[in-house]
Amino acid sequence: MNSMIARGVAPLLAALLLTACATPDFKQPAVETPTAFRNSQLPGPAEFAGIEGARWKPAQPAEQQPRGQWWLAFQDPALTALVEEASANNANLAVAASRVKQARAIAGIAAADRVPQVGVGIGAQRARPSALESGLPQGTATQPVTTYTANLTASYEVDLFGRVAAGVSAARSDAATSEANYRSVLLALQADVAQTYFRLRALDAELETVAQTVRLREESVKVTQRRFDLGDIGEFDLSRARTELATARAEAIGLQRQRATAEHALAVLLGKPAANYVAGPSPLLDATLLPAIPAGLPSSLLERRPDIVAAQRTMEASNARIGVARAAMFPALTISAAGGGVGGAFSEVFKWSSRSWVLGLLTSMPLIDGGRNRANVERSEAVLEESVGSYRQSVLTAFAEVEDNLAGLRILSGQAEQIDAALLSARRSADLAQKLYDAGRSSYLELLDAQRNLAAVERTAVQLRGNRAVTTVALIRSLGGGWDAGRIDSNAVAMK
C-alpha cells in the first residue's frame, strides 16, 4: 500500500519541481534611443568611424563608475567649500542616507531566512495541578512541583520553489534602489548648491552694474541741476534726470530682494538657518572659468544617472516579487528539531536520563484560498509593468534633459557673442552721446536713450553670464554628475 502511494506521489512531486521556476527570468525592456544628441554639434555619421562612444548602446546601470568631483572643474574654491559643507549638513541628504540604512537592514532580515534558525531556552516552572488533572479522586490533596528545563531548537525552510531566494533578491534590489536614490539626492543637492551659488554671483554682478548706473544717474542729476540753475536747460531735462535716478534706485532695491531670496535658499541647502547665514558679495565677472563640456559623450554617462539606476533596480525587485507571489502557490517544506532536558532540580536537567528530543517535518500548501494567491501574482505582474513604464520614461527624460541643456549652452554661447558685440557698440554710442550733449549738439533725451541702452545691454550680458554657468551645471547634472575626462577627452569634440 505504501509503495503504491509512493508511486502515485512521486510523479506529482516531480511535476511540481519541474514547473517550480517561480521567479521569471528578468528581461531588459527595450527603449528607443537616439544614435547621438542632435544638439551636440558632432560631425556626420561617416566621420565617426573608430571613435568610441559616438554611438549609443543600450543603457545598463553603472552607478559604480567614477563620477569625480565635477565642481572642481569650475576652479572655484568657494564653490568647493559650499558643496562639501552641504554634503555634510543637508537634512534631505541625511534622510536619504537613513533610508539606505533601513533598506540594507531589511535586506539582511530577508537573507536571514536562508540559514537555519537556532535558539536556546532555559526556564523554571512551579505548578500545583488539581487532583482531577493528576487522575486522583476529587478532593485529594496534591503537592506543588517545580520543574527545570533547558532546550535547543532549530528550524529551517527548504527553499524548494525559490520563495526565500526571490525575497532576498527583491530586498537587495530595494536596497540598491535606495542607494541610487541617495546618489540622486546627493547629485541634486550638489547641483542646486552650484546653481544657487552662480545665481547669487550673477545677481551680485547685476547689482554692481545697476549701482554703477545709479552713480551715473546721480552725477547726471547734479550736472543737470547746475545747468538748470544757470538757465542752460529747462525743467523738463531736470525732471527726466530725477526720474531716471529714482528708476535705477528702484531696480537696485528689487535686485536686493532677489539676492536675499537666493541667499536664504543657499542657507537651507547648507543646513543653516537663513537668519544666521550671510554670503559676501562675489560678482560673476566673466565665463572664462566655465568648463568645456565634451560633446561626443559616450552612453556610459547616461548609464550613471542615479534616477535610471533606481528605475532599473525597481524593475528587478518587482520581477523578483513575482517569484515570491508564485512560490506561495506551491508546497512549503519546513524541518524542525528540538532537544533538551527536564528535571526536578536544575542539576538534573543536563543528566542523560532527563533528555528529550523531537524532530519534525512539515509540508504545507494552500488548497482553497478564494483566488488570493492568483490575484497576488497578477498584482505583482502589474507592478512590474508599472516599473517598466517608469524606467522607459526615466530614460527618455534623461535624453531630453541632456538635449535641453546642450541646446541651451549652444544658444547661450551664440547670444553671448552677439551681446559682446552689442556691448562694444552701446559703449561707443553712450560715449558719443555724452560728448554731443556736452557740446550742446544733441538733446538730453538722446543722451538718456544711449545711456539707458548701454545699461540694458550690460545687464543682459551679466544675466547671460549667470545663465551659462547655471546651464553648465544643469548639463553636468543631466549627465549623471560629470565625466571621466581622461577617458573622454581623446574621443570627444569640445562644444564651441
Side-chain angles (χ1 to χ4, degrees):
M1 182 69 179
N2 291 337
S3 60
M4 294 178 61
I5 295 177
R7 286 194 298 270
V9 171
L12 176 61
L13 291 176
L16 287 173
L17 288 172
L18 290 173
T19 60
C21 186
T23 304
D25 293 334
F26 178 74
K27 297 180 180 180
Q28 183 70 27
V31 180
E32 182 180 355
T33 57
T35 57
F37 284 123
R38 185 178 64 183
N39 288 282
S40 62
Q41 294 185 328
L42 290 171
E47 301 178 55
F48 271 119
I51 298 181
E52 179 185 359
R55 295 288 181 178
W56 295 96
K57 59 192 177 81
Q60 297 292 334
E63 64 271 29
Q64 300 302 327
Q65 290 186 15
R67 290 169 178 79
Q69 296 175 309
W70 55 264
W71 54 90
L72 296 179
F74 291 92
Q75 302 179 40
D76 190 332
L79 173 61
T80 299
L82 290 173
V83 170
E84 292 175 352
E85 183 176 359
S87 299
N89 301 323
N90 184 264
N92 287 334
L93 189 61
V95 170
S98 67
R99 288 173 179 165
V100 173
K101 294 179 181 178
Q102 295 174 41
R104 287 176 176 173
I106 292 173
I109 294 172
D113 290 338
R114 285 182 140 174
V115 299
Q117 306 298 300
V118 180
V120 63
I122 299 177
Q125 175 178 302
R126 184 169 177 81
R128 182 179 181 277
S130 67
L132 185 61
E133 290 176 326
S134 301
L136 299 175
Q138 188 70 25
T140 303
T142 59
Q143 299 297 320
V145 178
T146 300
T147 57
Y148 297 88
T149 60
N151 57 68
L152 184 68
T153 61
S155 63
Y156 176 68
E157 179 181 348
V158 180
D159 196 18
L160 291 177
F161 303 99
R163 184 194 69 82
V164 175
V168 173
S169 178
R172 287 178 175 172
S173 294
D174 285 340
T177 300
S178 296
E179 293 171 7
N181 288 333
Y182 170 82
R183 293 189 184 94
S184 183
V185 173
L186 177 60
L187 176 59
L189 171 64
Q190 294 167 343
D192 287 344
V193 168
Q195 289 180 318
T196 305
Y197 170 74
F198 284 123
R199 289 192 186 101
L200 194 60
R201 291 191 60 189
L203 286 170
D204 285 338
E206 198 171 349
L207 274 167
E208 193 175 77
T209 301
V210 173
Q212 183 177 356
T213 302
V214 169
R215 290 192 295 270
L216 181 63
R217 294 286 179 262
E218 290 173 344
E219 184 62 27
S220 179
V221 168
K222 293 178 182 178
V223 172
T224 306
Q225 181 69 53
R226 286 197 299 268
R227 296 188 66 181
F228 174 75
D229 294 340
L230 293 173
D232 292 343
I233 58 175
E235 186 178 357
F236 176 78
D237 287 349
L238 179 60
S239 297
R240 287 300 301 266
R242 289 173 176 172
T243 300
E244 293 295 328
L245 174 60
T247 301
R249 286 174 173 171
E251 290 177 349
I253 293 173
L255 287 173
Q256 289 171 357
R257 181 188 65 82
Q258 294 180 39
R259 189 191 188 282
T261 301
E263 185 180 64
H264 299 160
L266 185 57
V268 173
L269 293 172
L270 297 177
K272 293 182 176 181
N276 297 344
Y277 179 71
V278 177
S282 177
L284 187 63
L285 300 179
D286 54 54
T288 56
L289 295 183
L290 294 183
I293 308 298
L297 299 171
S299 60
S300 60
L301 295 180
L302 270 185
E303 292 168 4
R304 294 185 301 156
R305 275 182 60 120
D307 58 337
I308 294 180
V309 173
Q312 173 80 26
R313 300 309 183 195
T314 299
M315 283 193 303
E316 294 171 359
S318 300
N319 187 77
R321 287 195 170 88
I322 293 177
V324 176
R326 288 181 178 177
M329 304 174 66
F330 295 104
L333 177 62
T334 303
I335 301 173
S336 62
V342 180
F346 188 75
S347 58
E348 298 177 355
V349 171
F350 300 100
K351 290 182 178 180
W352 185 253
S353 58
S354 301
R355 70 187 185 280
S356 65
W357 59 270
V358 60
L359 180 65
L361 183 67
L362 175 64
T363 302
S364 62
M365 68 175 295
L367 294 179
I368 300 176
D369 62 0
R372 182 191 305 274
N373 287 327
R374 172 54 59 186
N376 194 31
V377 171
E378 293 175 356
R379 182 194 66 82
S380 300
E381 292 172 345
V383 170
L384 177 60
E385 292 176 3
E386 177 188 359
S387 63
V388 169
S390 297
Y391 171 78
R392 287 174 172 161
Q393 186 64 32
S394 297
V395 173
L396 294 176
T397 300
F399 277 96
E401 288 178 355
V402 176
E403 287 283 5
D404 288 345
N405 292 308
L406 282 173
L409 280 179
R410 176 173 55 82
I411 293 170
L412 287 172
S413 179
Q415 282 185 289
E417 291 179 2
Q418 298 302 317
I419 285 296
D420 289 343
L423 190 57
L424 291 175
S425 298
R427 286 171 177 168
R428 178 60 178 166
S429 297
D431 183 59
L432 290 173
Q434 184 68 54
K435 291 179 179 178
L436 290 173
Y437 177 74
D438 292 341
R441 297 172 57 185
S442 66
S443 67
Y444 185 69
L445 286 178
E446 292 174 330
L447 174 61
L448 280 180
D449 185 63
Q451 291 178 342
R452 190 184 301 114
N453 183 56
L454 174 60
V457 174
E458 287 178 339
R459 288 189 65 181
T460 301
V462 170
Q463 291 169 353
L464 278 174
R465 196 179 303 149
N467 288 339
R468 290 183 72 184
V470 169
T471 306
T472 299
V473 174
L475 177 57
I476 294 173
R477 176 178 179 176
S478 66
L479 294 171
W483 57 92
D484 185 345
R487 185 184 60 183
I488 294 176
D489 285 351
S490 59
N491 294 327
V493 180
M495 191 182 73
K496 304 295 184 182

